[in-house]
Amino acid sequence: MNPSDALTARPEVHGFFDPGTWTVTYVVHAPQGRACAVIDSVLDYDPKSGRTSTTSADKVIDYVRSQGLQVAWILETHAHADHLSAAPYLKAQLGGQIAIGAQITAVQKVFKGVFNLEPDFAVDGRQFDRLLADGESLPLGNLQIQAMSVPGHTPACMAYQVGDAVFVGDTLFMPDVGSARCDFPGGDARALYASVQKILSLPPQTRLFMCHDYPPEGRAVQYETTVAAQRAGNIHLKDGTSEADFVRMRTARDATLSMPVLILPAVQVNIRAGEMPPAETNGVAYLKIPLNAL
C-alpha cells in the first residue's frame, strides 16, 4: 500500500497510558472491522521486588474483548528500554502474531554480549513470529499496516502506518518534548534526523501517535498530534532545523541524561519478544545486572 492510498482510511485508535512507565499502548482497528493490532504493550514490573504483574495488559484485554475484536498482530516499535513487553501474555490470552523490525537481530547481538547471555540464545530474531522489512505490509481486516523503518533511537525502530495514523514509537515525542535520545548501543542522531524527515514528509493531516509522553509542568498527558503540528512546533525538529544543529543538540543533551530505571531488566526481556530468561536449576528465572559495564 502506498502512503497516499493508506491515508484514505481513518482507523479507530484507543490508547492506554501507563503512568508507571509513561508508556502508551494502542489498539487499532477499522471502524467496522474486528481485526485489530496491539502496539507496544506493557508488562508491569516492580524493580524493588523483581515481581511482574499484568494490570496494564489486562486493561487492553478487557477492551479487546468488550469491543468484540480479534487480535491479528502484536507489534513492537523497538526493543524498549523503559518497560517490559507483555506480548507473550497478550498472545496467550488473545492470539495474534508478535512482530518487530528485522534489525532486532543487530540489537540482540549487542546485548547478548553485554549480558553474557546463555550460549544458545539465538540472535536471528526467531523469538518473534515475524520480522519486518522497511515498507512491508501486514493485513488488518480491510486495512493494511505498513512498516516504516525509522532507525536512530535504536537500529531496529519501526513506525507503523495504518490509514491516516502513524505509530512512531520513540522516534518523536509531543512537539513540546521533542525527540528520542540516541545514546543507546546502535543509536545514531543523524539516522534519527533522517527518520523524522521521513515521517514529517507525510501529509500534514496525518495523525501521529507517541509511545510516551513526559509532559512539562502544567500540561496534562497527551499522545496524539499531527505532522503539521510537529513541523510547526517540535522543539528539536521543527521545519528549518538543520541536521548539523539537531545532531549537536541531541548529542549534548544525551550526555546529560541518566539511564532509564528499567533499562537492564527491560532490554533482557524485550530482545526475547517479552519472554523471561530460562529458569535455572531451582526453577527460578533471573535477570542480570552487569556491573560497571554501561
Side-chain angles (χ1 to χ4, degrees):
M1 179 182 287
N2 295 323
S4 58
D5 296 332
L7 287 166
T8 62
R10 186 177 177 86
E12 296 283 343
V13 179
H14 192 83
F16 299 81
F17 180 73
D18 172 45
T21 62
W22 305 91
T23 302
V24 190
T25 299
Y26 294 100
V27 176
V28 56
H29 61 96
Q32 286 78 41
R34 293 185 66 240
C36 72
V38 178
I39 303 173
D40 289 336
S41 63
V42 173
L43 180 70
D44 302 299
Y45 175 77
D46 179 5
K48 297 183 295 296
S49 67
R51 289 194 171 274
T52 63
S53 60
T54 59
T55 302
S56 296
D58 287 335
K59 292 176 183 177
V60 175
I61 292 169
D62 289 345
Y63 175 79
V64 167
R65 289 175 173 164
S66 71
Q67 299 299 306
L69 301 175
Q70 178 64 53
V71 173
W73 302 101
I74 301 169
L75 302 176
E76 303 286 359
T77 54
H78 61 295
H80 305 273
D82 38 44
H83 69 273
L84 280 65
S85 171
Y89 177 70
L90 291 177
K91 182 177 178 178
Q93 296 292 317
L94 299 172
Q97 295 187 64
I98 302 171
I100 197 168
Q103 287 301 310
I104 188 61
T105 57
V107 178
Q108 289 177 323
K109 289 171 186 174
V110 168
F111 284 104
K112 181 174 184 176
V114 169
F115 292 109
N116 194 30
L117 298 180
E118 65 273 13
D120 61 353
F121 173 77
V123 294
D124 59 4
R126 70 180 67 176
Q127 299 87 349
F128 298 85
D129 297 314
R130 185 83 171 258
L131 300 183
L132 301 172
D134 184 33
E136 188 169 351
S137 293
L138 302 173
L140 188 69
N142 61 355
L143 297 175
Q144 283 189 310
I145 302 167
Q146 185 172 21
M148 181 188 304
S149 179
V150 287
H153 177 58
T154 80
C157 286
M158 276 284 182
Y160 297 105
Q161 183 174 11
V162 186
D164 73 334
V166 179
F167 302 88
V168 300
D170 284 9
T171 304
L172 279 168
F173 299 135
M174 292 297 291
D176 59 357
V177 179
S179 61
R181 64 193 299 167
C182 298
D183 59 331
F184 296 154
D188 186 317
R190 286 183 175 79
L192 183 69
Y193 182 87
S195 294
V196 170
Q197 303 315 306
K198 188 175 179 180
I199 293 170
L200 297 186
S201 69
L202 295 169
Q205 70 274 17
T206 304
R207 294 183 290 164
L208 303 180
F209 292 90
M210 313 296 107
C211 183
H212 301 283
D213 188 36
Y214 307 103
E217 186 175 356
R219 173 168 74 69
V221 170
Q222 299 173 5
Y223 37 84
E224 178 183 348
T225 183
T226 64
V227 165
Q230 292 281 21
R231 293 183 61 174
N234 187 285
I235 60 172
H236 296 166
L237 284 153
K238 66 183 177 183
D239 280 358
T241 304
S242 71
E243 180 189 84
D245 286 343
F246 173 74
V247 170
R248 188 179 307 111
M249 178 282 301
R250 188 69 265 172
T251 303
R253 180 172 174 77
D254 288 349
T256 71
L257 300 177
S258 59
M259 287 292 101
V261 172
L262 297 184
I263 184 172
L264 295 177
V267 171
Q268 290 177 75
V269 170
N270 294 339
I271 61 174
R272 300 176 187 269
E275 296 287 356
M276 297 299 163
E280 299 194 9
T281 54
N282 62 355
V284 177
Y286 291 84
L287 296 170
K288 293 184 174 182
I289 304 296
L291 299 178
N292 304 315
L294 293 179

